[in-house]
Amino acid sequence: NPNEVVAVLKVVGLVANVRTTAAFQHQQSIYVPDDTSVLVAAPLCVFNDAPWLRGRVDPDRLRVVHPGLSLGTCRRLGIHRVSECVSEVIEPGFSPEPCPASDGSPARLTTTLTSAELAHGL
């Protein structure tokens, strides 16, 4: 129910503001909605600040908070950013090959980057 999700997001935001005080620093973790609106323990989630990494990581290993939670709220709850938890590493022995159709000139690069073929491929 969308109304329930909105209510939960508001409550989580209020709790995050209260948790910054010393009295709440040692409390157990609270539950936050993930991107499928399922409540999950906050330490098991990450804030999606790098959406391009999402498709490169096994979704069973990465729980992303609901997009309605701000980075500030997540920070106050101790939720890390994706970019802090995931790093991309080039495979050993990988060596990129130059594009044979390009002469390397800036004009050719501009033409390629602004082409309809590239736009459709993305």
Side-chain angles (χ1 to χ4, degrees):
N1 182 337
N3 292 329
E4 291 172 348
V5 173
V6 170
V8 168
L9 292 171
K10 287 181 181 179
V11 169
V12 169
L14 292 171
V15 170
N17 289 335
V18 172
R19 281 181 63 106
T20 58
T21 64
F24 289 91
Q25 289 298 323
H26 301 291
Q27 294 289 330
Q28 289 188 352
S29 161
I30 69 161
Y31 283 74
V32 297
D34 69 4
D35 59 347
T36 62
S37 300
V38 174
L39 291 176
V40 181
L44 300 177
C45 293
V46 292
F47 179 83
N48 191 10
D49 69 328
W52 59 90
L53 290 176
R54 186 72 192 271
R56 300 177 188 175
V57 177
D58 180 0
D60 293 333
R61 300 186 58 153
L62 187 69
R63 298 294 292 262
V64 176
V65 297
H66 192 279
L69 286 177
S70 70
L71 177 58
T73 297
C74 291
R75 283 300 206 195
R76 287 189 293 277
L77 295 173
I79 297 172
H80 297 286
R81 296 177 298 166
V82 168
S83 61
E84 295 171 329
C85 303
V86 175
S87 63
E88 291 187 285
V89 178
I90 296 176
E91 290 186 32
F94 175 78
S95 179
E97 296 178 18
C99 181
S102 175
D103 62 7
S105 71
R108 176 74 177 187
L109 181 60
T110 300
T111 302
T112 302
L113 291 176
T114 59
S115 70
E117 293 86 4
L118 180 64
H120 291 270
L122 298 176

